[in-house]
Amino acid sequence: MKDVYFQMLDFEGKMPDINEFQDFGYVRELLVKTKELFDKIGQPNGEDHIRQCGIDVDLLKANFGGFHMRITNYPVDGSKKSWIYYNQFDDESTDIWNRAHEEAHATCHLGLRSELEKRIGTPNLSDLYEEDFCDQAGLYVLKRRGIEPHPNILIPYADRKATNGNNS
């Protein structure tokens, strides 16, 4: 087992040695970074192939938010890779929330969600769909830092996705 630390969430957990988490930080274009990562793992990086892998290319092209790329290598070795990257926002609350949201996706993929739920301490988090849980994790970080959330991040995920292409 090895330690993994999520900076925005200020949360540390343990994951199997074969798993990987990497935060690539701010990127200018979400689709460009996705194509780079597909190339890195030896996969075709054309838009059609990325779509076939279940990734919404149109949301990546909208370039508003962030992305968590999850790779699971079953049944070969059972490893899980979580890679995150995101756009930078001028509004501090949106920027911090967005980064924490993507980190929360990684905690879910790496099997650390229940530990993070306990840390946040809000009832019924385990009942939430992953996107909504990640929203709550971002709001938790803002509250802990005493930062008022931007009104746009209080809009439910499904409504944000429908109106502005946010693919967090």
Side-chain angles (χ1 to χ4, degrees), residues 6-167:
F6 302 93
Q7 181 182 8
M8 285 292 106
L9 295 170
D10 191 24
F11 174 74
E12 187 172 331
K14 297 234 181 249
M15 65 181 182
D17 291 335
I18 61 173
N19 289 354
E20 176 186 331
F21 169 71
Q22 188 165 0
D23 181 341
F24 288 101
Y26 296 115
V27 297
R28 292 177 70 85
E29 305 231 1
L30 298 172
L31 181 58
V32 169
K33 185 63 177 179
T34 302
K35 287 180 175 187
E36 287 174 14
L37 291 174
F38 265 70
D39 197 40
K40 176 181 178 175
I41 62 173
Q43 289 288 313
N45 67 1
E47 290 180 19
D48 288 341
H49 180 73
I50 293 171
R51 274 192 185 92
Q52 289 172 0
C53 292
I55 297 172
D56 190 332
V57 171
D58 295 327
L59 288 177
L60 291 176
K61 285 180 177 179
N63 205 44
F64 186 81
F67 192 67
H68 168 245
M69 184 180 291
R70 57 183 77 207
I71 300 167
T72 304
N73 192 8
Y74 286 114
V76 178
D77 67 2
S79 68
K80 295 179 178 182
K81 291 178 175 41
S82 279
W83 297 332
I84 64 172
Y85 40 100
Y86 32 83
N87 300 129
Q88 188 166 20
F89 293 88
D90 293 333
D91 176 71
E92 179 186 38
S93 69
T94 304
D95 194 60
I96 291 170
W97 174 86
N98 188 52
R99 292 177 62 194
H101 177 104
E102 298 308 329
E103 285 182 355
H105 277 299
T107 67
C108 293
H109 180 64
L110 297 170
L112 299 169
R113 177 176 169 161
S114 63
E115 290 178 46
L116 182 57
E117 287 174 1
K118 289 175 193 169
R119 172 93 181 267
I120 295 171
T122 302
N124 302 320
L125 286 175
S126 61
D127 296 339
L128 295 178
Y129 172 66
E130 185 174 323
E131 286 295 342
D132 296 320
F133 167 73
C134 294
D135 284 356
Q136 292 302 308
L139 292 172
Y140 159 77
V141 169
L142 293 177
K143 182 178 180 182
R144 198 179 74 229
R145 292 180 179 206
I147 299 171
E148 189 70 29
H150 189 282
N152 289 348
I153 61 179
L154 298 174
I155 299 169
Y157 173 77
D159 294 339
R160 284 194 325 269
K161 183 178 177 186
T163 59
N164 68 13
N166 185 350
N167 66 334

